[in-house]
Structure formats: C-alpha cells, structure tokens
Amino acid sequence: MTSFLKIAVDGTSASGKGTLARRLAQQFHLSYLDTGALYRAVAKHILDQGGNPDNEDDALKSAIFVRDHFSWEMLEDPAIRTDIVADATSRSSQFPPLREALIEFQKNFASHPPHKPSQKPWSGTILDGRDIGTIICPRADVKFYCDASTETRAQRRTKELQEKGLNANLETVLQEMIERDTRDQNRTKNPLKPAEDAIILDTTSLSADEVFEKACDIIRSKIA
Ligand code: DC
C-alpha cells in the first residue's frame, strides 16, 4: 500500500476532470492543485499588464511573476474564469519558456503540498490539468484521463456559464472549444495527450456521481 498517494487527472476542457479531482481530494484527504487555474492566472496577469498572450516574452514575464509572487487567492479569483482569459490561456500556455517556468512549482506541490500544523497530514496530492500524468507526475499512483464528446462538453460549458448569469451561446462555445482543444493537443511542448498508463474515463454518458464512483473503485483497488 502506498503511504503518500499521488493522483494525476488530465483531460479536455469541460470533460469533468476538475469536478472529479475536487471530489477525490475530499474523499481521500488529498491536497489539490488545479493547474489550469495557474495557467489562467498567468494569462490574466499578461492581460492586466497590457501584454499580448501571443507574445512569448510577455508570457514568460507573467509566468515568472505569478510563480514568484504566488498566492492561493490568485487561483480563486473569479476573473480568471472569463472567456477572454480562457482564450488568452490557451494561447500563452503553448510557449515552452512559460511552461518551463511553472514546472518546478507544480512538481514541488505534488511532492510537498502546503500544510497547516493544525491540520491532519495529507494522505497525498491530486493535480488536474493537461500534462500531469505525462510531465508533472509521471510516476503518479493513479492516472485518469477524462474526455467526452465535443458536443456534450460544449453543452456542459454553456449551461455552466448560463448558470453564472453569463450570456453563452452553444454554437460559439462549441467553436471556441474546438479551437482550444486543437491548440492544447497540437502544441509542440507537452501537448494534451493521455499518459500511456492512464485510465480513460469517457464521461459522455455518465453523471458526475457515476464518474466519481468509478474513479473511487479504481483508486481503492490500486491502493488495497
Ligand atoms: O483546465 P482549464 O480549462 O482551466 O485550462 C485552461 C487552459 O490552460 C487550457 O487551454 C490549457 C491550459 N493548461 C495547460 O496548458 N496545462 C495544464 N497543466 C493546465 C491547463
């Protein structure tokens, strides 16, 4: 039995990976890092500075800033969730220097998650993103790769945005999702792809509860 559990969750946008990772973190008392939020915080910083997300130097400067002035509030800022920031993130995160600047931070979190003395020690860590199973935690105990049909993911994202009171249109969301997926999967540095030993979870026709139960069964069988 592993004493410190490391779980990698990768997948396409709106595939359910964030919801799954958050629930698994709670269930197994794991420290959680949403690495998409980290890349989003960098993109927001580029925009706030009047920079260009398609410019490698601007992207690197902001990655170094976010890494060196990191606070958890940066990842909880609702402003990183807008469509403008999502688009800028998918552009800026393709640059190798930006990704390099964030690698050590993520690896360090995976091995030594921040911990308060008053808190029960973590049983492990869980990170979700695009290159967790392949680059950040290649030796994770369990690797999941979540995916769903593009239409299903676009429907989920549209509903999510509308529930937040935002004006979202299915056709536009679908188009933007295809563009972002294409960029994530085709960038030269650490593209989105399942690790060879990842367990694929196709969430197209599964509810969030079903995905969670399935993942819990897999983890329990691995750590038994
Ligand atoms: O998971 P998300 O939608 O919050 O991710 C936002 C963007 O960040 C997405 O376009 C891909 C990028 N990203 C990345 O390149 N590598 C990661 N580990 C996480 C996210």
Side-chain angles (χ1 to χ4, degrees):
M1 154 134 182
T2 321
S3 55
F4 187 84
L5 191 62
K6 270 192 202 175
I7 302 184
V9 185
D10 289 300
T12 46
S13 47
S15 59
K17 64 184 185 318
T19 305
L20 175 65
R22 219 163 273 126
R23 289 183 71 175
L24 291 176
Q26 214 172 14
Q27 178 75 19
F28 294 97
H29 190 58
L30 308 172
S31 186
Y32 169 55
L33 179 63
D34 169 359
T35 67
L38 186 62
Y39 284 90
R40 283 170 182 264
V42 172
K44 179 175 179 285
H45 188 263
I46 299 172
L47 298 176
D48 288 350
Q49 295 299 303
N52 177 358
D54 289 313
N55 178 289
E56 187 169 305
D57 288 341
D58 289 353
L60 176 61
K61 271 188 216 139
S62 289
I64 292 173
F65 180 89
V66 166
R67 184 192 67 193
D68 294 348
H69 299 83
F70 179 77
S71 75
W72 290 100
E73 285 74 36
M74 286 180 179
L75 306 192
E76 280 147 27
D77 181 356
I80 67 170
R81 300 286 158 196
T82 64
D83 258 10
I84 294 168
V85 172
D87 182 65
T89 311
S90 131
R91 292 172 183 283
S92 55
S93 62
Q94 69 176 307
F95 292 121
L98 174 150
R99 303 194 71 83
E100 282 294 333
L102 302 177
I103 282 183
E104 270 321 298
F105 175 86
Q106 296 171 82
K107 286 194 171 198
N108 193 39
F109 176 94
S111 307
H112 305 286
H115 176 253
K116 295 191 195 113
S118 57
Q119 196 178 41
K120 185 178 141 205
W122 296 114
S123 307
T125 43
I126 183 163
L127 284 79
D128 83 58
R130 303 294 193 287
D131 56 357
I132 309 303
T134 49
I135 305 292
I136 306 298
C137 300
R139 300 182 61 193
D141 300 288
V142 189
K143 297 179 187 178
F144 293 113
Y145 184 92
C146 299
D147 204 357
S149 74
T150 317
E151 289 69 24
T152 303
R153 293 187 292 115
Q155 278 162 5
R156 285 179 191 159
R157 180 54 50 84
T158 307
K159 187 162 168 258
E160 198 180 287
L161 292 169
Q162 286 171 347
E163 280 170 1
K164 281 186 192 158
L166 298 167
N167 193 6
N169 164 280
L170 179 61
E171 276 310 304
T172 316
V173 170
L174 180 66
Q175 198 47 46
E176 289 173 354
M177 191 166 267
I178 292 170
E179 282 169 25
R180 276 181 224 149
D181 285 350
T182 308
R183 276 199 292 265
D184 288 348
Q185 285 160 350
N186 294 297
R187 64 174 173 241
T188 46
K189 178 87 173 167
N190 311 346
L192 168 66
K193 64 170 185 204
E196 276 177 19
D197 50 348
I199 295 154
I200 311 284
L201 295 174
D202 183 342
T203 69
T204 307
S205 53
L206 297 178
S207 68
D209 283 349
E210 287 168 326
V211 177
F212 174 65
E213 289 307 330
K214 202 169 169 173
C216 284
D217 287 347
I218 293 167
I219 294 169
R220 287 193 190 104
S221 72
K222 291 256 183 189
I223 62 177

